[in-house]
């Protein structure tokens, strides 16, 4: 698998490495800012705890991609070493699963906190929100660990290709290769990824619907388009919709990656990796820009380091 245009590989490599480095810095900043807030306030809001867990998972995921796609390690990966492939596969699925579950928990948290549905299930979640979500984070880690193990056992296999490839001292040696079981990989990916993704879609759509209906009621009640409260609701709808679009893009390209469809050419391989790393970095950057406290902390730290 070689790219016919080396310049194109350099471009994609530069974009991917820059994306990973910036994404790691942004997510680590979110974690550091929340830790500083916890130190000063002696406590941390449950939403900030979920966000810190998601930022930690995203930084580890982007760092894993950065290390994996470094040229020396990437060459070993392309050469299909069984141990390397099995380990990278298990680690990748663990970080991917934690990203999906933490993202889902964050979306469900905002859905329960913001929406005003009178369903018994939502009322129950609102009353137990402070004790339930830490357990959900712990359950997400347990599910991610247990779901990543089959990818190290059932995805790759060693096969003998052709008995006439190597000859040494008049003895014919078989050529051994490591092959991916694409069907097993994709089925395992669906089992691991579809439940949190489905829950995320339902929670996000309910949140968008609730915010949009509340915005329409505010307009009908006589609130002007320049009302700060109305503007904040419209901004929230845009933010949640952006979150939904980025997460769908991530899930679609991740599905293509695990189905093996992007391995037909090197260019498709690098494009897929670049697109997969974009949503975690872009959404974390959007979180900083839309959160006044994080934005102020980021600006102050930027001035400190720039001086």
């Amino acid at each position: 698998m070689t790219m016919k245009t080396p310049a194109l590989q350099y471009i994609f490599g530069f974009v991917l490495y820059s994306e990973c480095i910036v994404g790691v810095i942004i997510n680590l900043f979110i974690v550091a800012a929340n830790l500083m807030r916890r130190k000063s306030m002696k406590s941390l809001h449950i939403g900030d705890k979920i966000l810190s867990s998601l930022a930690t998972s995203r930084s580890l995921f982007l760092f894993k991609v950065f290390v994996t796609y470094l040229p020396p390690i990437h060459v070993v990966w392309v050469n299909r070493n069984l141990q390397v492939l099995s380990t990278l596969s298990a680690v990748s699925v663990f970080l991917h699963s934690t990203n999906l579950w933490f993202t889902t928990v964050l979306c469900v948290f905002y859905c329960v906190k913001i929406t005003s549905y009178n369903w018994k299930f939502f009322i129950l979640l609102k009353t137990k929100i402070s004790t339930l979500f830490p357990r959900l984070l712990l359950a997400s880690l347990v599910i991610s660990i247990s779901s990543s193990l089959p990818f190290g056992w059932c995805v790759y296999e060693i096969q003998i290709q052709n008995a006439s490839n190597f000859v040494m001292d008049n003895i014919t040696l078989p050529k051994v290769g490591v092959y991916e079981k694409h069907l097993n990989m994709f089925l395992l990916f669906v089992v691991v990824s579809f439940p949190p993704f489905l829950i995320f879609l339902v929670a996000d759509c309910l949140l968008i619907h609730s915010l949009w209906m509340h915005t329409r009621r505010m307009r009908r009640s006589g609130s002007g388009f320049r009302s700060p409260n109305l503007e904040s609701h419209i901004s929230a709808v845009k933010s949640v919709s952006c979150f939904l679009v980025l997460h769908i893009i991530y899930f679609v390209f991740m599905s293509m990656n695990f189905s093996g469809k992007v391995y037909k050419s090197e260019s498709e391989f690098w494009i897929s990796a670049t697109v997969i790393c974009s949503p975690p970095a872009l959404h974390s950057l959007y979180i900083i820009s839309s959160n006044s406290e994080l934005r102020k902390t980021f600006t102050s730290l930027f001035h400190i380091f720039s001086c």
Side-chain angles (χ1 to χ4, degrees):
M1 185 172 60
T2 58
M3 185 175 285
K4 296 180 179 180
T5 308
L8 195 60
Q9 180 179 355
Y10 297 146
I11 293 174
F12 283 128
F14 176 78
V15 174
L16 179 62
Y17 299 148
S18 302
E19 200 172 53
C20 291
I21 293 173
V22 173
V24 169
I25 294 174
I26 291 173
N27 283 283
L28 288 180
F29 165 78
I30 294 176
V31 177
N34 286 330
L35 289 177
M36 292 170 57
R37 189 183 309 170
R38 183 181 185 278
K39 185 177 180 180
S40 61
M41 300 177 61
K42 306 301 181 182
S43 63
L44 196 62
H45 191 262
I46 183 63
D48 294 328
K49 292 180 181 179
I50 300 174
L51 183 59
S52 298
S53 301
L54 177 60
T56 302
S57 177
R58 283 177 171 177
S59 61
L60 291 175
F61 175 79
L62 293 172
F63 179 74
K64 190 277 303 180
V65 173
F66 177 79
V67 173
T68 302
Y69 285 80
L70 287 176
I73 302 178
H74 182 62
V75 169
V76 176
W77 187 90
V78 172
N79 288 337
R80 297 184 174 273
N81 182 282
L82 179 61
Q83 289 75 20
V84 173
L85 284 175
S86 299
T87 303
L88 286 178
S89 178
V91 172
S92 299
V93 173
F94 169 74
L95 295 176
H96 160 72
S97 181
T98 53
N99 277 320
L100 279 183
W101 279 111
F102 287 167
T103 301
T104 301
V105 172
L106 181 66
C107 187
V108 171
F109 170 78
Y110 284 121
C111 181
V112 172
K113 182 181 177 181
I114 296 175
T115 57
S116 57
Y117 297 111
N118 294 323
W119 304 333
K120 293 183 178 180
F121 180 69
F122 268 77
I123 296 175
L124 179 63
L125 287 178
K126 284 180 180 292
T127 57
K128 297 183 177 296
I129 190 172
S130 59
T131 58
L132 182 61
F133 281 93
R135 298 176 184 177
L136 289 178
L137 291 176
L138 181 60
S140 300
L141 284 176
V142 174
I143 294 173
S144 300
I145 293 174
S146 59
S147 61
S148 63
L149 296 178
F151 281 83
W153 300 334
C154 309
V155 170
Y156 299 99
E157 64 178 355
I158 298 177
Q159 290 183 356
I160 298 177
Q161 294 177 330
N162 194 335
S164 61
N165 284 284
F166 298 106
V167 178
M168 182 178 64
D169 296 332
N170 296 326
I171 300 176
T172 302
L173 299 177
K175 183 179 179 181
V176 178
V178 180
Y179 293 91
E180 295 176 347
K181 300 178 181 178
H182 293 300
L183 181 60
N184 290 0
M185 180 183 290
F186 185 72
L187 291 178
L188 288 172
F189 171 81
V190 171
V191 172
V192 171
S193 305
F194 190 73
F197 182 70
L198 181 61
I199 297 173
F200 170 85
L201 288 180
V202 173
D204 204 284
C205 291
L206 287 175
L207 183 56
I208 293 175
H209 177 264
S210 177
L211 288 171
W212 184 249
M213 293 301 295
H214 190 63
T215 302
R216 292 182 62 182
R217 286 194 295 267
M218 291 176 65
R219 287 176 175 173
R220 290 174 183 174
S221 64
S223 299
F225 277 95
R226 295 301 178 183
S227 172
N229 198 10
L230 182 61
E231 289 291 336
S232 65
H233 277 75
I234 295 176
S235 176
V237 172
K238 293 179 181 179
S239 176
V240 177
S241 301
C242 176
F243 191 15
L244 177 64
V245 171
L246 289 175
H247 198 61
I248 291 176
I249 292 174
Y250 170 82
F251 186 83
V252 169
F253 276 84
M254 207 67 174
S255 302
M256 294 171 57
N257 190 23
F258 277 91
S259 66
K261 299 299 183 182
V262 298
Y263 297 126
K264 294 181 180 179
S265 67
E266 185 83 7
S267 58
E268 294 178 358
F269 180 83
W270 283 90
I271 291 174
S272 176
T274 304
V275 175
I276 286 173
C277 294
S278 297
L282 291 177
H283 183 251
S284 298
L285 181 62
Y286 185 82
I287 289 175
I288 294 177
S289 63
S290 60
N291 189 303
S292 59
E293 294 184 2
L294 288 176
R295 188 169 61 249
K296 291 178 181 178
T297 306
F298 181 81
T299 304
S300 61
L301 289 177
F302 178 78
H303 284 302
I304 291 174
F305 284 108
S306 62
C307 293

